[in-house]
Amino acid sequence: MEWKQFFTPIKNMDTEEARAYMAEHEEGTYTLLDVRQLGEYENSRIPGATLIPLPQLSDRLGELDPEKPVITY
Amino acid sequence: MGMVTLMGDESPLEVIVFAYGMEQGLGEFYSSAAGMIEDKDVAGLLRKLARIEESHKQKLLDLYMTLNTTGKGSEAFEAEIMNEMMEGGFTTKEFLEKNRPVMETTADILSLAMMLETQGLDLYLRYSQKAEDEESRRVLYRIAEDEKAHLAALGDMMEAIHNEK
């Protein structure tokens, strides 16, 4: 078997880029989406992040505002 | 991972071949990862997932044979078509080597597995929506449902590990 790319192209940000993006943009103009599990979210998270654990994401996409950029972690 | 990206204009047969390769890779990944983990419950889950990915390969091969009009038999599928389609990718061994830095803990491995399952789910959902014949749609949705269940099982295992800490 040979692995090859089967990802949908996405833009990746490192921590500093994400921090800079949030500093430069007003609250409410973007969505911070936390796709980790509940326990991880409760333990620590970026303030204001919305939790949708990855296994639930395909069923709950309607909860996201399609007009806003989404930063996912 | 490799250099080739599905762009959305692939033929149904190309998608099936690609999905077959992905299932094979997932199965190999789960089998290898299970051997790296001491936690018996997690290793057991990974081995179970590896077996299910094997059954997906058979479903995809059956669908391929239903749709294919090239005259090539199933024995030619892996030997010829897979080699052609997967040229330029990584072997599973190379994939594991590349990801070793993010596979140090059981949680790391579960996290990587969830990432791969999500990509699989995305692939099946996107192409089942585009499938033009009912049988393709049915098979691809069915496999998507399985991948979604895998993702949930991996998430539950991740949560259990987190709660043990």
Side-chain angles (χ1 to χ4, degrees), chain B residues 74-89:
Chain B
S74 60
E75 69 283 354
F77 184 85
E78 281 197 54
E80 274 184 54
I81 305 171
M82 290 304 296
N83 284 343
E84 186 182 327
M85 285 291 292
M86 294 296 145
E87 193 175 349

Side-chain angles (χ1 to χ4, degrees), chain B residues 86-114:
Chain B
M86 294 296 145
E87 193 175 349
F90 294 169
T91 64
T92 298
K93 189 179 172 193
E94 288 166 336
F95 176 79
L96 290 168
E97 279 302 315
K98 184 180 167 65
N99 285 283
R100 196 161 297 282
V102 292
M103 293 179 70
E104 290 186 354
T105 67
T106 300
D108 286 346
I109 290 172
L110 286 172
S111 184
L112 185 57
M114 290 178 75

Side-chain angles (χ1 to χ4, degrees), chain B residues 1-70:
Chain B
M1 306 249 293
M3 300 300 291
V4 184
T5 303
L6 284 176
M7 299 308 292
D9 59 354
E10 291 76 14
S11 72
L13 289 181
E14 285 173 330
V15 172
I16 293 166
V17 169
F18 185 79
Y20 185 95
M22 183 187 70
E23 294 290 355
Q24 183 153 328
L26 278 173
E28 290 174 4
F29 168 76
Y30 284 135
S31 296
S32 300
M36 299 163 66
I37 287 178
E38 289 182 9
D39 185 313
K40 285 182 182 171
D41 290 340
V42 177
L45 172 63
L46 297 182
R47 289 198 179 91
K48 179 182 166 191
L49 296 183
R51 287 194 297 274
I52 298 173
E53 306 304 5
E54 195 63 31
S55 75
H56 287 172
K57 281 169 57 186
Q58 187 59 49
K59 285 179 187 167
L60 289 164
L61 178 56
D62 292 345
L63 182 60
Y64 184 93
M65 296 313 296
T66 303
L67 298 177
N68 125 69
T69 54
T70 63

